[in-house]
Amino acid sequence: MSTPEQSPEHGPEQHPEHSPQQHPEGTAAGADQRPAGLTAADLATQYAATSGVRRSDDGQIDVLSSIGGVQGLAESIAPGLVFTLVFTFARDLMVSLVAALAVAAVFTVIRLVSRKPVTQALAGLVGVAFCAFVALRTGNAEDFFLPGFFINGAYIVAMAASVLFRWPFAGLLFGFIRNEGIEWRKDPLRVRAYSLATWIIVAVLALRLVVQVPLYLVENVAALGSTRVAMGLPLYALGLWLAWVVSRPASATPAAADASGQGPTADPAGPGRS
């Protein structure tokens, strides 16, 4: 983790005959002790701070808060669900796309009016707009769900790579709110536990593709939309909880929970939304 900037008085002792302006070794030495730019620990800290994962007072993962609460869940599910329902009954692509965009826009306005952070709703609106653009360009309703396949695939590749490079995704996600920082990387058992937890999340993402890609290929929009809703954020939340459980330290107790490690609302661009 990043360290506070050292002041000159904490650096090497200066000789009286040299003023700080003439020979500022103290400041220079203090600065040289810190690596230039962001370290891996700094990046891991920043990621953990923005991941949105939270702990409850009893030390367990707060799954609902970690996925953005009830409002975040609704923002994730509603646009795709509305698109599927409208297209199933109206069979009109343009009307269905407008309905999905309208729902996403309403959630953004609600957050603006209630003075809540709009990042999640705004990202959802941009995502729905891009999906609508793809479907409109191809003229195929099933292509509304196509970008999600590529997003899932990208997360699968990235998470698998994180395990291979011994920086498992779950360790970055859970390590800091468990007060482990990145010290868990020094313990082979903890690395193995977080690697297993990461593979659980990968399995959730892969399961989506296994189930949904065949439905896309046969152009079954109703079934594809339904499975996208069911296997979206709700399934991701289940995978997140399982990953938390299997990676729990053997000596962990609820009393060890640190509420200050809680992060902000979950990032909607994360794997749960795809």
Side-chain angles (χ1 to χ4, degrees):
M1 296 179 64
S2 59
T3 57
E5 181 147 352
Q6 294 179 335
S7 58
E9 60 268 25
H10 288 91
E13 182 178 356
Q14 299 179 357
H15 295 290
E17 63 270 22
H18 295 97
S19 65
Q21 290 77 13
Q22 293 173 315
H23 191 65
E25 285 91 343
T27 303
D32 290 341
Q33 290 176 3
R34 292 179 283 110
L38 292 175
T39 65
D42 293 331
L43 294 173
T45 302
Q46 292 178 4
Y47 178 81
T50 59
S51 65
V53 177
R54 300 187 177 194
R55 293 180 75 162
S56 56
D57 293 337
D58 62 358
Q60 300 301 313
I61 186 172
D62 188 339
V63 175
L64 185 59
S65 294
S66 297
I67 61 176
V70 174
Q71 186 171 353
L73 183 62
E75 291 170 351
S76 173
I77 291 176
L81 179 60
V82 169
F83 173 83
T84 301
L85 291 174
V86 173
F87 185 80
T88 299
F89 291 103
R91 311 303 296 182
D92 188 311
L93 178 58
M94 180 60 73
V95 172
S96 304
L97 294 176
V98 170
L101 283 168
V103 170
V106 166
F107 279 118
T108 303
V109 171
I110 290 175
R111 283 187 174 266
L112 285 171
V113 172
S114 59
R115 299 183 180 276
K116 294 182 179 179
V118 299
T119 303
Q120 181 164 350
L122 191 59
L125 178 60
V126 172
V128 172
F130 180 72
C131 292
F133 171 77
V134 173
L136 199 59
R137 285 295 299 269
T138 63
N140 300 319
E142 63 272 14
D143 286 340
F144 179 81
F145 303 101
L146 183 60
F149 296 149
F150 290 98
I151 295 173
N152 267 275
Y155 273 111
I156 288 173
V157 171
M159 290 187 189
S162 76
V163 174
L164 294 178
F165 287 105
R166 293 179 59 82
W167 282 93
F169 170 80
L172 300 178
L173 203 61
F174 300 145
F176 281 88
I177 63 174
R178 281 175 167 154
N179 294 324
E180 292 179 293
I182 58 172
E183 292 299 309
W184 53 267
R185 297 192 70 244
K186 299 178 181 179
D187 184 350
L189 293 178
R190 298 300 298 136
V191 173
R192 193 175 304 123
Y194 280 133
S195 296
L196 175 59
T198 301
W199 286 125
I200 289 176
I201 301 176
V202 168
V204 169
L205 304 181
L207 182 61
R208 290 175 178 170
L209 298 181
V210 169
V211 173
Q212 295 172 18
V213 170
L215 297 174
Y216 170 81
L217 295 176
V218 299
E219 303 179 2
N220 190 334
V221 176
L224 179 57
S226 300
T227 55
R228 176 62 64 90
V229 170
M231 303 182 74
L233 207 52
L235 183 62
Y236 176 72
L238 176 60
L240 198 65
W241 178 79
L242 289 174
W244 173 270
V245 171
V246 302
S247 63
R248 184 169 48 199
S251 59
T253 60
D258 181 8
S260 63
Q262 297 177 352
T265 303
D267 179 9
R273 185 173 284 271
S274 306

